[in-house]
Amino acid sequence: EEDRAKFLSFVWGRSRLPVTAQDFDRKFRLMRRFKSDRDPDRYLPVNHTCFFAVEVPRYSTLDIMTERMRYAMWH
């Protein structure tokens, strides 16, 4: 539950979802980041709270993505 609240806070600036579907003014967007040859494992995800979106580098493993996302959410 704490990770969920932190994730929402990271991508939306709030720790809880609206009560009804009508209260949503936009859909969540998950976007790929860094299309270049740079090492994506070195970068953190980037949030856009105004747009309810997050840009995630193309990590080499799910474990690295989880570690980077948790670090970004909690720090």
Side-chain angles (χ1 to χ4, degrees), residues 26-59:
R26 62 186 46 109
K27 292 182 180 183
F28 173 68
R29 290 180 46 192
L30 179 64
M31 301 172 288
R32 184 175 58 173
R33 185 165 188 226
F34 298 124
K35 296 179 184 178
S36 70
D37 293 332
R38 293 185 277 179
D39 180 17
D41 292 343
R42 295 179 39 211
Y43 298 94
L44 293 172
V46 175
N47 62 337
H48 300 283
T49 56
C50 293
F51 302 106
F52 194 33
V54 63
E55 291 181 62
V56 181
R58 190 172 226 159
Y59 295 116

Side-chain angles (χ1 to χ4, degrees), residues 1-13:
E1 288 297 314
E2 285 184 74
D3 276 345
R4 289 180 186 186
K6 282 289 189 182
F7 180 77
L8 280 174
S9 182
F10 179 69
V11 299
W12 199 25

